[in-house]
């Protein structure tokens, strides 16, 4: 079967029905993407070409763009081109050039899919897809890279044929088959000089490791291609078993997940279940041993991924999101009634009479206003901070107060303190300082209130916006 026929047959087997879709082709100008463009033209698909100029190879990059521009004109399809300052983006985000290029191009492709163009310009996002020219050899290389890096079973299935709106219709074909089809039609394409640079791991694997393996095992590519199919079936069975175990183990509390340690220790095989449990939260295979040790550790121990924290808390292993900390120092002036802290608002009111009964809500603090001076300083707590907890005559460091209060470690990091003249008057949401408590001699009461707000509410909280009733709340003392 010729490549053209195999291409259509493969797409038909996948049930994609691309004749009814609007397609965006990512075309670099290399052999694979040029062949994909010509195959789509022969198939009569409605498509446009998008080319990214990452400006990494100077005049060569510009020549690639000119080539793809001419290709789009020859095929009479819409053409999009964008230049990126990839080096600056890489430095700014502290990521590799390869990762930077991937993030930049896929973000742009997503934008293009939402714009009107082509014969099916009225197509919705549900009918618009991105096509890339990844082929079988790319998938084999991905299998080996993942194997050598120590990935899970899913990584051994190679490149997925579909990932959301990204379709890869050439994954059935090897590089040799694609090259033969292009030569038979006298097609021209661009050769990327960086593809021969073995400082990149994939290039070293492609140009040095695989050729050596072929000398030892002449059928290595065919064998690995068959392994991709076998691993896909194995992964389906594996996934079903793992998901069944995780469903029994995981408990969700909002955005926080927790697992009973004793129950987890009975899972078989433990390290595999632990890895699959932690993987969706950004933990790497190399952190599995650390997570295993966490199960035998005391309360308060934790390990961080890029996005989450796994924390030993009592009989639980908790996984909580790492939130960006607002470490700024805020000043609450007398002419301002509130200040925004992350997704909370701290507000104040002043009364001329003390309440008959103290409110039970820990998010509300009632203080004797006599010795409190504005501006109030609102900041994150830090090591060495101390105060006199309500009901105590002796000072206590906040670190010890948190331990005695059994406040989880991941919640301690979110605590704010309110200061007046370098004295902590309130550990927000937890306890006031005994030196500023309301007494029978109090003549003016300062109420501080900490309340959660959604991002959409932020605009309604300008300085001086809250109303003051002058009426103290009722309740009972803490």
């Amino acid at each position: 079967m010729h490549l053209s026929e195999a291409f259509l047959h493969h797409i038909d087997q996948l049930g994609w029905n691309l004749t009814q879709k609007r397609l965006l082709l990512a075309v670099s100008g290399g052999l694979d993407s040029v062949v994909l463009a010509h195959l789509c033209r022969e198939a009569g698909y409605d498509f446009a070409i998008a080319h990214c100029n990452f400006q990494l190879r100077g005049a060569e990059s510009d020549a690639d763009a000119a080539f793809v521009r001419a290709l789009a004109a020859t095929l009479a399809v819409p053409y999009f081109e964008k230049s990126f300052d990839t080096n600056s983006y890489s430095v700014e985000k502290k990521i590799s050039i390869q990762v930077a290029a991937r993030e930049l191009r896929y973000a742009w492709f997503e934008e293009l899919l939402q714009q009107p163009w082509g014969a099916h310009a009225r197509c919705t996002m549900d009918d618009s897809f991105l096509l890339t020219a990844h082929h079988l050899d790319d998938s084999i290389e991905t299998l080996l890279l993942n194997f050598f890096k120590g990935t899970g079973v899913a990584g051994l299935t190679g490149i997925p044929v579909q990932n959301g709106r990204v379709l890869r219709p050439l994954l059935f074909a090897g590089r040799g088959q694609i090259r033969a089809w292009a030569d038979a039609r006298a097609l021209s394409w661009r050769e990327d000089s960086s593809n021969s640079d073995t400082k990149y791991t994939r290039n070293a694997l492609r140009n040095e490791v695989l050729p050596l393996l072929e000398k030892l095992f002449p059928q290595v590519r065919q064998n690995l291609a068959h392994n991709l199919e076998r691993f896909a079936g194995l992964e389906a069975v594996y996934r079903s078993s793992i998901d069944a175990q995780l469903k029994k183990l995981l408990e969700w509390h909002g955005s926080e997940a927790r697992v009973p340690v004793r129950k987890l220790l009975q899972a078989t095989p433990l390290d595999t279940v632990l890895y699959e449990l932690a993987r969706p939260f950004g933990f790497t295979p190399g952190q599995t041993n650390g997570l295993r040790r966490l199960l035998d550790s005391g309360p308060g121990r934790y390990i961080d991924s890029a996005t989450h924290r796994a924390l030993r808390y009592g009989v639980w292993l908790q996984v909580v999101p790492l939130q960006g900390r607002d470490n700024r120092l805020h000043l609450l002036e007398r002419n301002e009634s509130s200040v925004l802290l992350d997704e909370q608002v701290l507000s104040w009111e002043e009364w001329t009479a003390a309440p008959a009964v103290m409110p039970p809500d820990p998010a509300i603090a009632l203080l004797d206003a006599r010795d409190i001076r504005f501006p109030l300083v609102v900041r994150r707590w830090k090591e060495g901070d101390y105060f006199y907890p309500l009901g105590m005559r002796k000072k206590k460091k906040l670190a010890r107060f948190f331990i005695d209060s059994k406040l989880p470690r991941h919640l301690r990091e979110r605590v704010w303190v309110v200061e007046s003249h370098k004295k902590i008057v309130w550990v927000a949401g937890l306890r006031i300082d005994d030196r500023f408590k309301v007494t029978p001699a109090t003549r003016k009461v300062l109420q501080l209130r900490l309340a959660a707000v959604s991002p959409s509410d932020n605009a309604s909280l300008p300085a001086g916006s809250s109303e003051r009733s002058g009426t103290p709340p009722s309740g009972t003392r803490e």
Side-chain angles (χ1 to χ4, degrees), residues 320-359:
V320 299
L322 288 175
Q323 299 183 354
R325 283 169 53 94
D326 178 359
N327 291 318
R328 294 174 296 171
L329 181 146
H330 300 267
L331 294 180
L332 184 57
E333 302 283 357
R334 181 170 284 279
N335 63 349
E336 299 173 330
S337 65
S338 63
V339 61
L340 192 63
L341 312 171
D342 292 330
E343 294 183 359
Q344 296 176 300
V345 61
L346 177 70
S347 60
W348 73 277
E349 298 181 35
E350 194 172 82
W351 304 327
T352 56
V357 184
M358 303 299 285

Side-chain angles (χ1 to χ4, degrees), residues 32 47 65 110 258 267 277 279 312-313 362 368 424 432 460:
D32 313 325
F47 69 95
E110 185 69 20
R258 68 180 188 178
L277 171 74
R279 184 174 57 85
R312 181 63 194 269
Y313 181 59
D368 191 325
I424 293 177
I432 67 169
S460 64

Side-chain angles (χ1 to χ4, degrees), residues 258-432:
R258 68 180 188 178
V259 179
V261 172
R262 183 177 296 180
K263 202 171 181 180
L264 179 56
L265 286 170
Q266 296 172 355
T268 304
L270 176 57
D271 284 354
T272 299
V273 174
L274 188 58
Y275 164 72
E276 291 292 351
L277 171 74
R279 184 174 57 85
F281 302 107
F283 290 91
T284 65
Q287 291 180 293
T288 302
N289 287 338
L291 291 166
R292 177 67 180 81
R293 289 193 296 271
L294 202 60
L295 301 181
D296 298 319
S297 70
R301 298 286 184 179
Y302 65 88
I303 295 177
D304 288 345
S305 73
T307 58
H308 286 74
R309 169 165 294 175
L311 172 77
R312 181 63 194 269
Y313 181 59
V315 299
W316 302 97
L317 177 67
Q318 288 188 329
V319 185
V320 299
L322 288 175
Q323 299 183 354
R325 283 169 53 94
D326 178 359
N327 291 318
R328 294 174 296 171
L329 181 146
H330 300 267
L331 294 180
L332 184 57
E333 302 283 357
R334 181 170 284 279
N335 63 349
E336 299 173 330
S337 65
S338 63
V339 61
L340 192 63
L341 312 171
D342 292 330
E343 294 183 359
Q344 296 176 300
V345 61
L346 177 70
S347 60
W348 73 277
E349 298 181 35
E350 194 172 82
W351 304 327
T352 56
V357 184
M358 303 299 285
D361 189 349
I364 298 175
L366 298 183
L367 308 169
D368 191 325
R370 176 179 51 189
D371 295 326
I372 294 179
R373 300 289 181 269
F374 282 84
L376 299 177
V377 174
V378 187
R379 61 171 176 80
R380 294 286 189 188
W381 82 279
K382 61 180 184 291
E383 290 293 337
D385 278 344
Y386 68 89
F387 78 131
Y388 291 76
L390 179 65
M392 295 182 62
R393 290 301 204 182
K394 294 183 178 180
K395 67 182 179 181
K396 177 178 282 193
K397 286 190 175 182
L398 262 62
R400 172 50 57 182
F401 171 71
F402 295 150
I403 293 172
D404 293 345
S405 302
K406 294 182 170 58
L407 185 69
R409 186 182 293 269
H410 70 278
L411 294 182
R412 299 175 202 174
E413 298 180 356
R414 308 179 193 177
V415 173
W416 295 89
V417 297
V418 182
E419 285 185 348
S420 174
H421 276 262
K422 298 185 178 180
K423 294 180 180 178
I424 293 177
V425 301
W426 187 32
V427 181
L430 295 173
R431 191 76 65 86
I432 67 169

